Amino acid sequence: MLVVSDSTPIISLAKIGQLNLLQKLFEKVFIPRAVWNELTSNDFYADEIEQIKSANFIVVHDVGDKNAVKILNEIVGLDIGESEAISLAIDSFADVLLIDEHKGRQVASQLNLNIVGTVGILLQAFDENFLSRQDILDCI
């Protein structure tokens, strides 16, 4: 299964100590360079940055269609990370795009991408017995 992610699901899972769920559920998660930059540039989140940098299942992949990124960013109004994540998901024929932001989810849905957010990841982890009901409640 090929999975591409925007920054928010990764940040959210790192903050609640559940980043490893991505590896358990998907083995590898591909992110574009802009998402990597978003994830690792804010020193306020030093603990999360360390988790992300040491997560060998997160693979940075360059986006091929820079024109699509520009359109999504400048015309549609998505941030650069969302724009690159959607473009990478399209280019790589991803099975799933992990994304939380409402506008990004709307655009991805209109482009017929299969989307899952952080809560969906937690529910899938519950379905696969990686988390208990109490774990889910604690995470939320």
Side-chain angles (χ1 to χ4, degrees):
M1 175 180 286
L2 201 151
V3 177
V4 172
S5 186
D6 187 29
S7 57
T8 305
I10 294 172
I11 291 169
S12 298
L13 292 170
K15 284 181 157 294
I16 60 174
Q18 296 293 343
L19 187 60
N20 64 331
L21 287 177
L22 294 176
Q23 184 175 31
K24 288 179 179 178
L25 293 170
F26 309 119
E27 292 183 34
K28 289 193 181 296
V29 175
F30 294 88
I31 62 170
R33 179 101 24 223
V35 168
W36 176 259
N37 293 340
E38 288 176 7
L39 291 171
T40 60
S41 65
N42 189 338
D43 291 337
F44 184 73
Y45 300 109
D47 292 338
E48 290 84 1
I49 289 171
E50 188 55 40
Q51 288 179 60
I52 292 163
K53 284 183 174 180
S54 65
N56 60 355
F57 57 88
I58 296 176
V59 180
V60 180
H61 197 283
D62 290 321
V63 173
D65 191 350
K66 301 292 184 186
N67 239 6
V69 173
K70 185 175 182 176
I71 290 168
L72 290 168
N73 181 239
E74 295 178 6
I75 296 172
V76 178
L78 300 180
D79 74 27
I80 192 70
E82 291 168 335
S83 299
E84 283 196 7
I86 289 171
S87 182
L88 180 59
I90 291 169
D91 290 349
S92 63
F93 300 97
D95 297 296
V96 176
L97 172 65
L98 306 178
I99 189 167
D100 281 334
E101 291 80 4
H102 180 69
K103 189 171 185 178
R105 289 173 67 95
Q106 283 183 316
V107 171
S109 290
Q110 290 171 346
L111 294 168
N112 295 317
L113 293 172
N114 182 23
I115 57 172
V116 174
T118 303
V119 172
I121 294 166
L122 295 173
L123 292 174
Q124 186 174 345
F126 174 78
D127 289 344
E128 296 191 27
N129 295 314
F130 295 132
L131 295 177
S132 69
R133 181 179 184 279
Q134 188 58 51
D135 292 334
I136 296 284
L137 293 173
D138 292 343
C139 289
I140 292 174

